[in-house]
């Protein structure tokens, strides 16, 4: 982009040799795979084999059945009484994995246990592919990583595994609940890789996929709007036209698609924006006390009313404005820090977009604990910034502390008796800390002395 710093080549920067995997690495890699298999068994047991189905997958499967049979997407509920709350597109695409309510015919439907395993391993593939794409965004634009991170080296595996390990609690939480976080992470990672490769049409299409799944990624449009990035905005517009209009209209028909959007606006969108009178989904997600949200809104409201028994279900107008102000300040800090990023600096691009995604989570009215699996891009960028000029991949004091805090903040809220840490938003505060560190890293990388070292590699130009 025109206002980014254009670096000059610096021949003094020499690539560092790759370091092969050691014996411990070769033990840990298969152990991680075994861990995911064990989690698959646990997910199957919780979701399909217990008397009461746990997790969120059944919500999507029931909405898929409604899309398949022409029923109302937003009236159908799972066995626990929870309703589908996303735009119609995902329910339509989920119809091959549909699950019929009790008493309805199951002709042509997969056994629910097969659906659980299919969705679980699909999400694992999304996770692995996301980690790979984030690493590629760094490797293909760095004169250091492009020659150092070959398959089989510690650098290659470290760039892919450490962001995943640093976010393992929310990643595992997402997988076991059958949520859509891994798919959303895949869309975000594809967008970042496309931006690094300067394929902004593609980046816009990936962002459109994320918005069609969950509305909150629309906040990320603020950056291309400020930059007047026509290609990214056009790609996003075409993607939204296909995802939000063409697919629902072609599958559900124009009249039913219109009714779907009217119902979705009535029960979800307007109430979420504090403009709707419908309270049918308040106890499921919209009340501040309905979920274990880590958003600015929930953090401020819950801290003001620590006693769960007397805590109001709805946040006051003043609290909402404080939350918006906090989100606005954090967003302004990230935009200011990343505005003069070095052109072709993939690490800075990953850090910047990762920080924007983190702000998006905190600014959302509802931010579940498992949403922090989307911290992976930010963590991946910070790890790359730490490693790129080291002879061997070592986390170092500050980065190791940040990762430890992130793990701690995402584990403690799940421990019985530690509900107060969940209420005050411990994971949210850690997210704020990651954004501040990311902003400082972006400021450093935009300085002239660092810009001279950020000459893009030939692989990025290709």
């Amino acid at each position: 982009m025109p206002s980014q710093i254009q670096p000059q080549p610096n021949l003094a920067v020499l690539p560092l040799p790759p370091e092969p995997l050691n014996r411990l690495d070769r033990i840990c890699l298969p152990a991680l795979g075994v861990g995911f298999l064990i989690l698959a068994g646990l997910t199957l047991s919780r979701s399909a084999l217990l008397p009461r189905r746990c997790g969120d997958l059944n919500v999507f499967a029931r909405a898929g059945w409604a899309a398949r049979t022409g029923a109302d997407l937003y009236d159908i509920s799972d066995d626990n009484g929870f309703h589908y709350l996303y735009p119609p597109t995902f329910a339509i695409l989920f119809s091959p994995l549909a699950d019929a309510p009790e008493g309805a015919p199951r002709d042509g439907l997969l056994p629910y246990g097969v659906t659980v395993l299919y969705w679980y391993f699909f999400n694992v593939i999304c996770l692995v592919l996301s980690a790979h794409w984030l690493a590629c965004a760094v490797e293909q634009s760095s004169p250091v990583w492009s020659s150092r991170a070959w398959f089989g080296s510690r650098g290659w595996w470290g760039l892919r595994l450490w962001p995943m390990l640093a976010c393992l609690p929310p990643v595992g939480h997402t997988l076991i609940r059958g949520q859509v976080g891994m798919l959303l992470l895949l869309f975000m990672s594809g967008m970042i890789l496309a931006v690094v490769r300067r394929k902004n049409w593609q980046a816009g299409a990936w962002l459109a996929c994320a918005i069609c799944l969950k509305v909150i990624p629309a906040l990320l449009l603020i950056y291309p709007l400020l930059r007047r990035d026509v290609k990214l905005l056009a790609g996003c517009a075409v993607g939204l036209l296909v995802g939000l209009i063409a697919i629902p209209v072609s599958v559900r028909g124009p009249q039913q698609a219109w009714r779907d959007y009217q119902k979705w606006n009535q029960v979800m969108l307007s109430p979420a924006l504090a403009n709707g009178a419908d309270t049918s989904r308040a106890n499921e997600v919209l009340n501040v006390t309905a979920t274990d949200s880590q958003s600015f809104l929930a953090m401020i409201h819950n801290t003001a009313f620590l006693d769960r028994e007397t805590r109001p279900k709805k946040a006051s107008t003043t609290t909402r404005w404080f939350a918006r102000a906090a989100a606005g300040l954090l967003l302004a800090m990230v935009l200011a820090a990343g505005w003069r990023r070095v052109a072709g600096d993939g690490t800075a691009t990953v850090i910047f977009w990762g920080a924007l995604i983190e702000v998006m989570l905190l600014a959302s009215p509802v931010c579940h604990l498992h949403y922090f699996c989307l911290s992976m891009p930010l963590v991946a960028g910070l790890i790359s910034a730490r490693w790129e000029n080291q002879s061997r991949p070592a986390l170092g004091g500050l980065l190791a502390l940040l990762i430890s805090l992130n793990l701690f903040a995402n584990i403690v809220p799940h421990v019985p008796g530690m509900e107060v840490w969940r209420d005050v938003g411990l994971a949210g505060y850690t997210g704020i800390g990651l954004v501040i560190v990311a902003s400082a890293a972006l400021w450093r990388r935009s300085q002239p002395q660092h810009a001279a070292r950020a000459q893009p590699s030939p692989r990025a130009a290709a």
Side-chain angles (χ1 to χ4, degrees):
M1 295 179 184
S3 58
Q4 292 177 337
I5 299 173
Q6 299 295 326
Q8 300 298 320
N10 186 350
L11 300 180
V13 178
L14 298 176
L16 297 170
E19 181 183 6
L21 294 173
N22 59 33
R23 182 178 298 178
L24 181 61
D25 297 330
R26 294 191 179 94
I27 294 173
C28 291
L29 286 173
L32 184 62
V34 171
F36 279 116
L37 289 176
I38 293 173
L39 189 61
L42 182 59
T43 302
L44 175 63
S45 175
R46 293 179 76 255
S47 300
L49 304 181
L50 295 178
R52 174 182 174 271
R53 291 177 175 177
C54 300
D56 300 318
L57 175 60
N58 198 230
V59 173
F60 309 134
R62 289 289 165 80
W65 179 85
R68 187 169 178 153
T69 60
D72 193 308
L73 300 179
Y74 300 101
D75 276 344
I76 189 94
S77 65
D78 71 351
D79 291 347
N80 300 309
F82 293 107
H83 296 84
Y84 179 74
L85 299 172
Y86 299 161
T89 309
F90 182 63
I92 294 169
L93 298 178
F94 209 85
S95 58
L97 299 179
D99 178 61
E102 187 176 356
R106 295 191 55 87
D107 299 340
L109 302 183
L110 293 172
Y112 189 63
V114 174
T115 297
V116 170
L117 289 178
Y118 183 94
W119 182 243
Y120 175 86
F121 285 109
F122 174 78
N123 279 332
V124 171
I125 292 171
C126 289
L127 171 65
V128 172
L129 194 55
S130 299
H132 178 63
W133 284 353
L134 291 171
C136 287
V138 171
E139 293 166 353
Q140 296 183 12
S141 60
S142 167
V144 176
W145 283 115
S146 60
S147 59
R148 178 186 179 193
W150 54 275
F151 181 79
S153 69
R154 298 195 77 199
W156 192 93
W157 283 102
L159 282 178
R160 287 154 179 82
L161 290 183
W162 269 110
M164 190 189 307
L165 295 174
C167 301
L168 198 55
V171 164
H173 193 194
T174 299
L175 290 173
I176 202 169
R177 290 183 65 91
Q179 261 291 344
V180 298
M182 296 299 99
L183 186 56
L184 194 58
L185 177 63
L186 182 73
F187 295 153
M188 298 293 190
S189 302
M191 176 193 69
I192 292 171
L193 180 58
V195 169
V196 170
R197 290 175 171 173
R198 302 183 184 182
K199 298 179 178 180
N200 287 16
W201 274 94
Q202 248 183 54
W206 282 115
L207 181 54
C209 291
I211 296 171
C212 290
L213 179 59
K214 295 183 77 117
V215 178
I216 57 173
L219 177 67
L220 301 180
L221 286 171
I222 189 170
Y223 181 70
L225 283 169
L226 291 174
R227 283 287 194 187
R228 290 174 289 183
D229 188 338
V230 177
K231 288 184 178 180
L232 196 152
L233 292 172
C236 186
V238 172
L240 291 176
L241 183 66
V242 172
L244 294 181
I245 298 177
I247 292 177
V249 168
S250 62
V251 175
R252 303 276 283 173
Q255 292 183 344
Q256 184 59 54
W258 176 250
R259 286 194 293 268
D260 287 339
Y261 276 112
Q262 283 183 314
K263 187 64 172 290
W264 178 62
N265 179 67
Q266 173 192 335
V267 301
M268 184 61 192
L269 189 59
S270 289
L273 298 174
N275 293 323
D278 191 296
T279 59
S280 59
R281 305 297 185 265
N283 290 329
E284 292 182 40
V285 68
L286 295 176
N287 285 343
V288 184
T289 56
T291 64
D292 299 318
S293 179
Q294 306 291 292
S295 67
F296 277 124
L297 180 64
M299 290 162 61
I300 297 171
H301 178 77
N302 294 348
T303 302
F305 302 96
L306 287 175
D307 186 0
R308 283 191 165 199
E309 299 299 324
T310 60
R311 183 180 301 156
K313 292 183 178 181
K314 295 185 178 294
S316 66
T317 302
T318 302
T319 299
R320 292 182 181 277
W321 278 109
F322 269 117
R324 291 166 187 160
L329 286 173
L330 206 62
L331 177 62
M333 181 177 68
V334 173
L335 290 173
W339 196 259
R340 291 176 56 80
R341 293 191 321 283
V342 178
D345 186 349
T347 295
T349 300
V350 174
I351 292 174
F352 175 73
W353 283 99
L356 283 183
I357 292 169
E358 198 79 14
V359 174
M360 173 196 81
L361 298 179
L362 296 168
S364 172
V366 178
C367 176
H368 298 289
L369 281 163
H370 57 79
Y371 284 13
F372 288 104
C373 65
L374 297 176
S375 299
M376 269 184 59
L378 178 51
V379 174
L382 293 175
I383 288 175
S384 171
R386 168 68 184 172
W387 285 356
E388 60 187 2
N389 291 315
Q390 290 184 325
S391 59
R392 59 189 302 272
L395 293 179
L398 178 58
L399 188 56
L401 177 62
L402 282 173
I403 290 176
S404 299
L405 287 174
N406 191 57
L407 290 169
F408 177 81
N410 282 280
I411 291 174
V412 168
H414 295 288
V415 177
M418 296 291 184
E419 290 81 5
V420 64
W421 294 108
R422 184 167 55 206
D423 289 353
V424 300
L426 180 61
Y429 283 111
T430 305
I432 295 171
L434 285 172
V435 172
I436 293 173
V437 172
S439 299
L442 289 170
W443 277 114
R444 287 195 302 271
R445 296 182 76 86
S446 66
Q447 300 308 306
Q449 62 269 27
H450 192 282
R453 301 187 305 174
Q455 177 71 9
S457 68
R459 289 173 63 187

